Structure formats: C-alpha cells, structure tokens
Amino acid sequence: MLAQQRQSAILELIRQRGGVRVSHLVTRFGVSDMTIRRDLEVLAERGLIDKVHGGATLAGPGSAEEPGFAAKSIRQRDEKRAIAERAATLVEPGMAIALSAGTTTAALATLLADVRGLTVVTNSIPVADALYADPRADRTVVLTGGIRTPSDALTGPVAEAAVSTLNVDVLFLGVHGMSPRTGFTTPNLLEAGINRRLVHAARRLVVLADHTKWETIGIATIAPLADADVLITDAGLDPAARAPLAEQVGELVVVEV
C-alpha cells in the first residue's frame, strides 16, 4: 500500500472512531511505529487530525469555538448519564450545591428529585428548568442572572456578582476540555469567569467530564487539574490518560457505561 493510500485509510478510521492509537495502526497496516507516526504527522500538518499522546483524534474545533447546548446534548449521552448517576451519589440531604452550565450537569439535575432540603445554585438555564419541572417545597433553586451564551449559561458581571458572596458544599463543574498543561478549560471567556467564581465559592470541587474532553483545549482555563477533589469520567478514557489524571486530581472515578 502506498503512503497516500495508507494515510487516507487512517483518516477514514479516525473519522469513524473519533480517534485511534498508534499501536492499533501498526498492527492493522503491518508497518513500523515510525511509519505510522510519519503518516500522522502528514495528516496533522494538513489540519485533518490532532496528534495526542499515543495516537490521534479527528481535528477538533478552534479553542474559542463553542457548540450550542442542543448540539452537545446529543453527544456521548450514555456516558454523560453514567457520570451523572455517579455524581448524584455524592449529593446528600440538606446540602447547598452548585451546578455549572453543561449537558452533564443538566443530566445530574434530573436525578436530584428525591434529595431532601437541597439548595442548588446554578448559572444554567437547562439545569434550572430541570429542577423547576419537578419541584419540591423543601428545595431552593438560585438561578443567576447574566448574559446568555450558546451553552445556555448565564455569564458576565451580573452572574459573577450573584455568586460572589455565596458558599456551597460542592460544585459540580462541567468542562469543555482537560489536559495536564492547560487544566480544565472552556471556549467562552465569560463562562470562564463565572466558573472561576463558582470554584471559589465551593468547599469541594467535583468535575464531570466524559472521555472526549481529554486533550481538548478551550481558550480559557477555569482551574488546574489539581484543584479537583474528584474527577468523574467514563471508561472510554484513553488508558494513557489515567495515570497523569490520577496523579493530579484528588480522586479519579472511572464509570462503566
């Protein structure tokens, strides 16, 4: 097989799977590790893929490009549900918690109907809608004001002022991406500001991030990996990512889907 044909086949595999490992490509095409790495380098230089540790993924959007809530809600549904179910076990009656904007935190909100005496602070319209749809007399929902983003998050100085004097037991934070170099990131500068305020307001930080968030980098850092007391992700996470994550976060929880 000619190099160009192999590279086209590699690109098609990445498009089908979202990502591949170098070791898999070496076995599949019967060539050396170095040959595969050169192929990936060619594809990366053309902007078709992103090289990551041990493999490659389909080239992602720019670091400031933000998909809308509806678009994100159909991605990794099963993974997000499993992550949300594990996160729900950390919520106890009488707690004051915060839920940031995000599709995984919105999934978590739908699982809190039976928790007594809960106070929920959120800057997410879908999170608030989920809680209002299943009301409880002993539950308080605090929805910040602010500027609405494509992720249906409320941001800006009004939102930041709303949480600046609050204190919560746990923040459940959804993120756009995570990496050892950049920490937990978002593609929206305004959203980074309110998320930092939420992190500051929380006694404990629990990050909810499915496996596709690994080595995805948004333009703004919310917090370094080491700030997370718990990171809940799914078993699709690249095995090579588990060691660096486990070394930095307080507790790495990997759920099966």
Side-chain angles (χ1 to χ4, degrees):
M1 180 181 290
L2 298 175
Q4 187 174 1
Q5 294 173 313
R6 187 175 57 250
Q7 290 159 13
S8 295
I10 290 171
L11 179 59
E12 184 58 31
L13 273 176
I14 295 174
R15 284 173 174 163
Q16 291 173 1
R17 302 183 179 189
V20 293
R21 295 187 60 78
V22 169
S23 57
H24 172 77
L25 297 176
V26 167
T27 302
R28 184 180 182 94
F29 294 102
V31 294
S32 69
D33 179 283
M34 186 61 68
T35 296
I36 291 298
R37 292 184 186 278
R38 280 198 298 266
D39 289 338
L40 296 180
E41 190 67 40
V42 170
L43 293 172
E45 288 175 355
R46 291 166 59 191
L48 299 172
I49 65 167
D50 291 326
K51 292 177 65 181
V52 298
H53 182 72
T57 62
L58 197 61
S63 61
E65 184 174 337
E66 181 178 12
F69 183 88
K72 291 191 291 186
S73 67
I74 63 174
R75 301 174 183 173
Q76 286 75 48
R77 282 182 174 176
D78 293 340
E79 290 88 342
K80 292 173 182 177
R81 180 71 180 186
I83 291 168
E85 288 174 350
R86 180 64 178 83
T89 67
L90 303 179
V91 182
E92 299 176 1
M95 273 187 165
I97 67 172
L99 272 64
S100 77
T103 50
T104 311
T105 51
L108 171 59
T110 66
L111 303 175
L112 302 179
D114 295 331
V115 183
R116 295 178 289 103
L118 200 61
T119 296
V120 183
V121 177
T122 187
N123 68 316
S124 167
I125 295 170
V127 165
D129 284 346
L131 295 168
Y132 289 139
D134 196 358
R136 287 184 62 109
D138 62 348
R139 182 170 63 210
T140 300
V141 179
V142 180
L143 176 63
T144 72
I147 301 167
R148 187 173 181 172
T149 72
S151 295
D152 285 346
L154 297 174
T155 65
V158 173
E160 292 181 30
V163 301
S164 63
T165 60
L166 300 180
N167 301 288
V168 297
D169 298 305
V170 185
L171 165 63
F172 294 94
L173 177 69
V175 298
H176 175 77
M178 57 182 176
S179 81
R181 181 174 65 84
T182 60
F184 300 110
T185 61
T186 172
N188 189 294
L189 292 172
L190 287 175
E191 202 162 337
I194 180 62
N195 283 342
R196 291 189 198 111
R197 291 276 189 170
L198 289 168
V199 170
H200 181 73
R203 182 171 58 86
R204 196 165 185 235
L205 173 60
V206 178
V207 177
L208 313 181
D210 69 73
H211 70 276
T212 65
K213 306 302 174 62
W214 175 247
E215 291 292 6
T216 295
I217 297 173
I219 192 171
T221 294
I222 301 165
L225 297 183
D227 279 9
D229 296 287
V230 182
L231 169 61
I232 307 178
T233 187
D234 65 88
L237 182 70
D238 186 340
R242 301 189 186 195
L245 284 173
E247 288 173 2
Q248 295 197 50
V249 303
E251 179 184 2
L252 176 63
V253 178
V254 180
V255 297
E256 296 292 337
V257 180

PDB file of all heavy atoms in Angstrom, residues 180-208:
ATOM      1  N   PRO A 180      -3.223  18.060  31.092  1.00  0.00           N
ATOM      2  CA  PRO A 180      -2.255  18.388  32.141  1.00  0.00           C
ATOM      3  C   PRO A 180      -1.672  19.787  31.994  1.00  0.00           C
ATOM      4  O   PRO A 180      -1.377  20.451  32.988  1.00  0.00           O
ATOM      5  CB  PRO A 180      -1.178  17.317  31.971  1.00  0.00           C
ATOM      6  CG  PRO A 180      -1.868  16.181  31.312  1.00  0.00           C
ATOM      7  CD  PRO A 180      -2.875  16.808  30.386  1.00  0.00           C
ATOM      8  N   ARG A 181      -1.503  20.233  30.762  1.00  0.00           N
ATOM      9  CA  ARG A 181      -0.863  21.534  30.540  1.00  0.00           C
ATOM     10  C   ARG A 181      -1.800  22.695  30.825  1.00  0.00           C
ATOM     11  O   ARG A 181      -1.398  23.699  31.437  1.00  0.00           O
ATOM     12  CB  ARG A 181      -0.358  21.635  29.094  1.00  0.00           C
ATOM     13  CG  ARG A 181       0.352  22.940  28.767  1.00  0.00           C
ATOM     14  CD  ARG A 181       0.943  22.927  27.375  1.00  0.00           C
ATOM     15  NE  ARG A 181      -0.076  22.838  26.340  1.00  0.00           N
ATOM     16  CZ  ARG A 181      -0.728  23.895  25.854  1.00  0.00           C
ATOM     17  NH1 ARG A 181      -0.470  25.114  26.306  1.00  0.00           N
ATOM     18  NH2 ARG A 181      -1.630  23.749  24.902  1.00  0.00           N
ATOM     19  N   THR A 182      -3.060  22.585  30.402  1.00  0.00           N
ATOM     20  CA  THR A 182      -3.980  23.726  30.497  1.00  0.00           C
ATOM     21  C   THR A 182      -5.013  23.585  31.598  1.00  0.00           C
ATOM     22  O   THR A 182      -5.746  24.538  31.882  1.00  0.00           O
ATOM     23  CB  THR A 182      -4.713  23.918  29.164  1.00  0.00           C
ATOM     24  OG1 THR A 182      -5.462  22.728  28.858  1.00  0.00           O
ATOM     25  CG2 THR A 182      -3.735  24.197  28.039  1.00  0.00           C
ATOM     26  N   GLY A 183      -5.117  22.420  32.212  1.00  0.00           N
ATOM     27  CA  GLY A 183      -6.131  22.208  33.235  1.00  0.00           C
ATOM     28  C   GLY A 183      -7.508  22.049  32.623  1.00  0.00           C
ATOM     29  O   GLY A 183      -7.665  21.556  31.502  1.00  0.00           O
ATOM     30  N   PHE A 184      -8.541  22.470  33.357  1.00  0.00           N
ATOM     31  CA  PHE A 184      -9.926  22.402  32.887  1.00  0.00           C
ATOM     32  C   PHE A 184     -10.243  23.700  32.150  1.00  0.00           C
ATOM     33  O   PHE A 184     -10.015  24.791  32.678  1.00  0.00           O
ATOM     34  CB  PHE A 184     -10.885  22.212  34.058  1.00  0.00           C
ATOM     35  CG  PHE A 184     -10.624  20.958  34.847  1.00  0.00           C
ATOM     36  CD1 PHE A 184     -10.103  21.023  36.124  1.00  0.00           C
ATOM     37  CD2 PHE A 184     -10.891  19.705  34.299  1.00  0.00           C
ATOM     38  CE1 PHE A 184      -9.859  19.865  36.856  1.00  0.00           C
ATOM     39  CE2 PHE A 184     -10.644  18.542  35.019  1.00  0.00           C
ATOM     40  CZ  PHE A 184     -10.131  18.615  36.297  1.00  0.00           C
ATOM     41  N   THR A 185     -10.766  23.585  30.935  1.00  0.00           N
ATOM     42  CA  THR A 185     -10.913  24.767  30.088  1.00  0.00           C
ATOM     43  C   THR A 185     -12.311  24.909  29.508  1.00  0.00           C
ATOM     44  O   THR A 185     -13.116  23.975  29.511  1.00  0.00           O
ATOM     45  CB  THR A 185      -9.906  24.735  28.930  1.00  0.00           C
ATOM     46  OG1 THR A 185     -10.138  23.569  28.123  1.00  0.00           O
ATOM     47  CG2 THR A 185      -8.471  24.721  29.440  1.00  0.00           C
ATOM     48  N   THR A 186     -12.572  26.107  28.968  1.00  0.00           N
ATOM     49  CA  THR A 186     -13.817  26.433  28.290  1.00  0.00           C
ATOM     50  C   THR A 186     -13.500  27.288  27.066  1.00  0.00           C
ATOM     51  O   THR A 186     -12.492  28.011  27.073  1.00  0.00           O
ATOM     52  CB  THR A 186     -14.775  27.206  29.219  1.00  0.00           C
ATOM     53  OG1 THR A 186     -15.916  27.673  28.472  1.00  0.00           O
ATOM     54  CG2 THR A 186     -14.096  28.400  29.853  1.00  0.00           C
ATOM     55  N   PRO A 187     -14.328  27.233  26.018  1.00  0.00           N
ATOM     56  CA  PRO A 187     -14.076  28.080  24.853  1.00  0.00           C
ATOM     57  C   PRO A 187     -14.664  29.481  24.991  1.00  0.00           C
ATOM     58  O   PRO A 187     -14.545  30.299  24.090  1.00  0.00           O
ATOM     59  CB  PRO A 187     -14.773  27.310  23.721  1.00  0.00           C
ATOM     60  CG  PRO A 187     -15.923  26.644  24.404  1.00  0.00           C
ATOM     61  CD  PRO A 187     -15.413  26.265  25.771  1.00  0.00           C
ATOM     62  N   ASN A 188     -15.328  29.763  26.132  1.00  0.00           N
ATOM     63  CA  ASN A 188     -16.023  31.029  26.311  1.00  0.00           C
ATOM     64  C   ASN A 188     -15.384  31.819  27.454  1.00  0.00           C
ATOM     65  O   ASN A 188     -15.383  31.373  28.601  1.00  0.00           O
ATOM     66  CB  ASN A 188     -17.505  30.772  26.600  1.00  0.00           C
ATOM     67  CG  ASN A 188     -18.333  32.033  26.593  1.00  0.00           C
ATOM     68  OD1 ASN A 188     -18.160  32.897  27.431  1.00  0.00           O
ATOM     69  ND2 ASN A 188     -19.252  32.131  25.645  1.00  0.00           N
ATOM     70  N   LEU A 189     -14.859  32.996  27.155  1.00  0.00           N
ATOM     71  CA  LEU A 189     -14.167  33.786  28.168  1.00  0.00           C
ATOM     72  C   LEU A 189     -15.091  34.205  29.305  1.00  0.00           C
ATOM     73  O   LEU A 189     -14.698  34.197  30.477  1.00  0.00           O
ATOM     74  CB  LEU A 189     -13.536  35.022  27.521  1.00  0.00           C
ATOM     75  CG  LEU A 189     -12.367  34.758  26.564  1.00  0.00           C
ATOM     76  CD1 LEU A 189     -11.973  36.045  25.844  1.00  0.00           C
ATOM     77  CD2 LEU A 189     -11.180  34.190  27.317  1.00  0.00           C
ATOM     78  N   LEU A 190     -16.317  34.584  28.982  1.00  0.00           N
ATOM     79  CA  LEU A 190     -17.265  34.977  30.024  1.00  0.00           C
ATOM     80  C   LEU A 190     -17.625  33.791  30.918  1.00  0.00           C
ATOM     81  O   LEU A 190     -17.761  33.928  32.133  1.00  0.00           O
ATOM     82  CB  LEU A 190     -18.533  35.557  29.397  1.00  0.00           C
ATOM     83  CG  LEU A 190     -18.411  36.954  28.786  1.00  0.00           C
ATOM     84  CD1 LEU A 190     -19.711  37.339  28.092  1.00  0.00           C
ATOM     85  CD2 LEU A 190     -18.064  37.988  29.847  1.00  0.00           C
ATOM     86  N   GLU A 191     -17.769  32.623  30.299  1.00  0.00           N
ATOM     87  CA  GLU A 191     -18.109  31.431  31.077  1.00  0.00           C
ATOM     88  C   GLU A 191     -16.952  31.054  32.009  1.00  0.00           C
ATOM     89  O   GLU A 191     -17.177  30.553  33.112  1.00  0.00           O
ATOM     90  CB  GLU A 191     -18.460  30.276  30.147  1.00  0.00           C
ATOM     91  CG  GLU A 191     -19.302  29.220  30.818  1.00  0.00           C
ATOM     92  CD  GLU A 191     -20.019  28.308  29.843  1.00  0.00           C
ATOM     93  OE1 GLU A 191     -20.245  28.714  28.682  1.00  0.00           O
ATOM     94  OE2 GLU A 191     -20.374  27.197  30.249  1.00  0.00           O
ATOM     95  N   ALA A 192     -15.731  31.292  31.569  1.00  0.00           N
ATOM     96  CA  ALA A 192     -14.588  31.016  32.441  1.00  0.00           C
ATOM     97  C   ALA A 192     -14.671  31.858  33.708  1.00  0.00           C
ATOM     98  O   ALA A 192     -14.374  31.386  34.814  1.00  0.00           O
ATOM     99  CB  ALA A 192     -13.287  31.306  31.701  1.00  0.00           C
ATOM    100  N   GLY A 193     -15.094  33.105  33.573  1.00  0.00           N
ATOM    101  CA  GLY A 193     -15.178  33.993  34.720  1.00  0.00           C
ATOM    102  C   GLY A 193     -16.166  33.511  35.763  1.00  0.00           C
ATOM    103  O   GLY A 193     -15.843  33.442  36.961  1.00  0.00           O
ATOM    104  N   ILE A 194     -17.377  33.149  35.353  1.00  0.00           N
ATOM    105  CA  ILE A 194     -18.379  32.692  36.317  1.00  0.00           C
ATOM    106  C   ILE A 194     -17.989  31.343  36.903  1.00  0.00           C
ATOM    107  O   ILE A 194     -18.201  31.070  38.086  1.00  0.00           O
ATOM    108  CB  ILE A 194     -19.796  32.639  35.683  1.00  0.00           C
ATOM    109  CG1 ILE A 194     -20.839  32.168  36.692  1.00  0.00           C
ATOM    110  CG2 ILE A 194     -19.829  31.751  34.461  1.00  0.00           C
ATOM    111  CD1 ILE A 194     -21.000  33.072  37.887  1.00  0.00           C
ATOM    112  N   ASN A 195     -17.368  30.487  36.091  1.00  0.00           N
ATOM    113  CA  ASN A 195     -16.943  29.190  36.611  1.00  0.00           C
ATOM    114  C   ASN A 195     -15.850  29.335  37.669  1.00  0.00           C
ATOM    115  O   ASN A 195     -15.827  28.597  38.654  1.00  0.00           O
ATOM    116  CB  ASN A 195     -16.486  28.283  35.474  1.00  0.00           C
ATOM    117  CG  ASN A 195     -17.651  27.696  34.702  1.00  0.00           C
ATOM    118  OD1 ASN A 195     -18.778  27.674  35.183  1.00  0.00           O
ATOM    119  ND2 ASN A 195     -17.383  27.228  33.494  1.00  0.00           N
ATOM    120  N   ARG A 196     -14.957  30.274  37.473  1.00  0.00           N
ATOM    121  CA  ARG A 196     -13.929  30.514  38.492  1.00  0.00           C
ATOM    122  C   ARG A 196     -14.566  30.988  39.796  1.00  0.00           C
ATOM    123  O   ARG A 196     -14.138  30.610  40.889  1.00  0.00           O
ATOM    124  CB  ARG A 196     -12.911  31.544  37.986  1.00  0.00           C
ATOM    125  CG  ARG A 196     -12.035  31.037  36.848  1.00  0.00           C
ATOM    126  CD  ARG A 196     -10.912  32.032  36.556  1.00  0.00           C
ATOM    127  NE  ARG A 196     -10.341  31.778  35.237  1.00  0.00           N
ATOM    128  CZ  ARG A 196     -10.471  32.592  34.190  1.00  0.00           C
ATOM    129  NH1 ARG A 196     -11.143  33.727  34.304  1.00  0.00           N
ATOM    130  NH2 ARG A 196      -9.927  32.283  33.024  1.00  0.00           N
ATOM    131  N   ARG A 197     -15.590  31.816  39.686  1.00  0.00           N
ATOM    132  CA  ARG A 197     -16.308  32.277  40.878  1.00  0.00           C
ATOM    133  C   ARG A 197     -16.982  31.107  41.594  1.00  0.00           C
ATOM    134  O   ARG A 197     -16.972  31.027  42.822  1.00  0.00           O
ATOM    135  CB  ARG A 197     -17.360  33.307  40.485  1.00  0.00           C
ATOM    136  CG  ARG A 197     -16.798  34.625  40.014  1.00  0.00           C
ATOM    137  CD  ARG A 197     -16.473  35.527  41.180  1.00  0.00           C
ATOM    138  NE  ARG A 197     -16.129  36.873  40.716  1.00  0.00           N
ATOM    139  CZ  ARG A 197     -15.991  37.918  41.503  1.00  0.00           C
ATOM    140  NH1 ARG A 197     -16.161  37.769  42.810  1.00  0.00           N
ATOM    141  NH2 ARG A 197     -15.666  39.093  41.009  1.00  0.00           N
ATOM    142  N   LEU A 198     -17.558  30.207  40.821  1.00  0.00           N
ATOM    143  CA  LEU A 198     -18.203  29.040  41.411  1.00  0.00           C
ATOM    144  C   LEU A 198     -17.184  28.140  42.113  1.00  0.00           C
ATOM    145  O   LEU A 198     -17.448  27.618  43.196  1.00  0.00           O
ATOM    146  CB  LEU A 198     -18.953  28.255  40.330  1.00  0.00           C
ATOM    147  CG  LEU A 198     -20.229  28.914  39.785  1.00  0.00           C
ATOM    148  CD1 LEU A 198     -20.710  28.178  38.530  1.00  0.00           C
ATOM    149  CD2 LEU A 198     -21.329  28.927  40.843  1.00  0.00           C
ATOM    150  N   VAL A 199     -16.023  27.968  41.483  1.00  0.00           N
ATOM    151  CA  VAL A 199     -14.959  27.173  42.107  1.00  0.00           C
ATOM    152  C   VAL A 199     -14.558  27.791  43.443  1.00  0.00           C
ATOM    153  O   VAL A 199     -14.393  27.099  44.461  1.00  0.00           O
ATOM    154  CB  VAL A 199     -13.733  27.058  41.172  1.00  0.00           C
ATOM    155  CG1 VAL A 199     -12.539  26.458  41.907  1.00  0.00           C
ATOM    156  CG2 VAL A 199     -14.078  26.209  39.944  1.00  0.00           C
ATOM    157  N   HIS A 200     -14.421  29.108  43.457  1.00  0.00           N
ATOM    158  CA  HIS A 200     -14.023  29.808  44.678  1.00  0.00           C
ATOM    159  C   HIS A 200     -15.081  29.670  45.776  1.00  0.00           C
ATOM    160  O   HIS A 200     -14.751  29.645  46.973  1.00  0.00           O
ATOM    161  CB  HIS A 200     -13.784  31.286  44.369  1.00  0.00           C
ATOM    162  CG  HIS A 200     -13.342  32.091  45.546  1.00  0.00           C
ATOM    163  ND1 HIS A 200     -12.076  32.004  46.085  1.00  0.00           N
ATOM    164  CD2 HIS A 200     -14.023  32.998  46.315  1.00  0.00           C
ATOM    165  CE1 HIS A 200     -11.979  32.813  47.120  1.00  0.00           C
ATOM    166  NE2 HIS A 200     -13.140  33.428  47.288  1.00  0.00           N
ATOM    167  N   ALA A 201     -16.346  29.574  45.385  1.00  0.00           N
ATOM    168  CA  ALA A 201     -17.443  29.512  46.353  1.00  0.00           C
ATOM    169  C   ALA A 201     -17.618  28.133  46.974  1.00  0.00           C
ATOM    170  O   ALA A 201     -18.339  27.990  47.963  1.00  0.00           O
ATOM    171  CB  ALA A 201     -18.749  29.928  45.677  1.00  0.00           C
ATOM    172  N   ALA A 202     -16.985  27.119  46.404  1.00  0.00           N
ATOM    173  CA  ALA A 202     -17.249  25.733  46.806  1.00  0.00           C
ATOM    174  C   ALA A 202     -16.188  25.200  47.757  1.00  0.00           C
ATOM    175  O   ALA A 202     -14.992  25.433  47.576  1.00  0.00           O
ATOM    176  CB  ALA A 202     -17.336  24.836  45.578  1.00  0.00           C
ATOM    177  N   ARG A 203     -16.651  24.466  48.751  1.00  0.00           N
ATOM    178  CA  ARG A 203     -15.717  23.787  49.659  1.00  0.00           C
ATOM    179  C   ARG A 203     -15.099  22.583  48.966  1.00  0.00           C
ATOM    180  O   ARG A 203     -13.970  22.192  49.271  1.00  0.00           O
ATOM    181  CB  ARG A 203     -16.483  23.347  50.911  1.00  0.00           C
ATOM    182  CG  ARG A 203     -15.633  22.671  51.974  1.00  0.00           C
ATOM    183  CD  ARG A 203     -16.426  22.482  53.251  1.00  0.00           C
ATOM    184  NE  ARG A 203     -17.626  21.706  53.015  1.00  0.00           N
ATOM    185  CZ  ARG A 203     -17.665  20.370  53.033  1.00  0.00           C
ATOM    186  NH1 ARG A 203     -16.541  19.681  53.241  1.00  0.00           N
ATOM    187  NH2 ARG A 203     -18.796  19.730  52.834  1.00  0.00           N
ATOM    188  N   ARG A 204     -15.814  21.991  48.020  1.00  0.00           N
ATOM    189  CA  ARG A 204     -15.349  20.783  47.323  1.00  0.00           C
ATOM    190  C   ARG A 204     -15.683  20.905  45.842  1.00  0.00           C
ATOM    191  O   ARG A 204     -16.776  21.347  45.481  1.00  0.00           O
ATOM    192  CB  ARG A 204     -16.038  19.559  47.929  1.00  0.00           C
ATOM    193  CG  ARG A 204     -15.398  18.214  47.579  1.00  0.00           C
ATOM    194  CD  ARG A 204     -15.935  17.141  48.514  1.00  0.00           C
ATOM    195  NE  ARG A 204     -15.269  15.871  48.296  1.00  0.00           N
ATOM    196  CZ  ARG A 204     -15.906  14.736  48.034  1.00  0.00           C
ATOM    197  NH1 ARG A 204     -17.221  14.699  47.965  1.00  0.00           N
ATOM    198  NH2 ARG A 204     -15.235  13.616  47.857  1.00  0.00           N
ATOM    199  N   LEU A 205     -14.737  20.527  44.976  1.00  0.00           N
ATOM    200  CA  LEU A 205     -14.932  20.609  43.530  1.00  0.00           C
ATOM    201  C   LEU A 205     -14.992  19.216  42.926  1.00  0.00           C
ATOM    202  O   LEU A 205     -14.049  18.437  43.053  1.00  0.00           O
ATOM    203  CB  LEU A 205     -13.786  21.398  42.888  1.00  0.00           C
ATOM    204  CG  LEU A 205     -13.749  21.424  41.350  1.00  0.00           C
ATOM    205  CD1 LEU A 205     -15.017  22.045  40.784  1.00  0.00           C
ATOM    206  CD2 LEU A 205     -12.512  22.175  40.860  1.00  0.00           C
ATOM    207  N   VAL A 206     -16.115  18.931  42.260  1.00  0.00           N
ATOM    208  CA  VAL A 206     -16.293  17.663  41.545  1.00  0.00           C
ATOM    209  C   VAL A 206     -16.471  17.995  40.067  1.00  0.00           C
ATOM    210  O   VAL A 206     -17.428  18.679  39.687  1.00  0.00           O
ATOM    211  CB  VAL A 206     -17.514  16.875  42.065  1.00  0.00           C
ATOM    212  CG1 VAL A 206     -17.685  15.583  41.270  1.00  0.00           C
ATOM    213  CG2 VAL A 206     -17.367  16.579  43.557  1.00  0.00           C
ATOM    214  N   VAL A 207     -15.547  17.528  39.238  1.00  0.00           N
ATOM    215  CA  VAL A 207     -15.590  17.807  37.801  1.00  0.00           C
ATOM    216  C   VAL A 207     -16.205  16.621  37.073  1.00  0.00           C
ATOM    217  O   VAL A 207     -15.846  15.464  37.322  1.00  0.00           O
ATOM    218  CB  VAL A 207     -14.177  18.088  37.249  1.00  0.00           C
ATOM    219  CG1 VAL A 207     -14.225  18.309  35.735  1.00  0.00           C
ATOM    220  CG2 VAL A 207     -13.579  19.313  37.936  1.00  0.00           C
ATOM    221  N   LEU A 208     -17.142  16.913  36.181  1.00  0.00           N
ATOM    222  CA  LEU A 208     -17.814  15.890  35.382  1.00  0.00           C
ATOM    223  C   LEU A 208     -17.360  16.049  33.936  1.00  0.00           C
ATOM    224  O   LEU A 208     -17.650  17.063  33.301  1.00  0.00           O
ATOM    225  CB  LEU A 208     -19.337  16.042  35.477  1.00  0.00           C
ATOM    226  CG  LEU A 208     -19.925  16.224  36.881  1.00  0.00           C
ATOM    227  CD1 LEU A 208     -21.443  16.341  36.811  1.00  0.00           C
ATOM    228  CD2 LEU A 208     -19.512  15.085  37.794  1.00  0.00           C
TER     229      LEU A 208
END
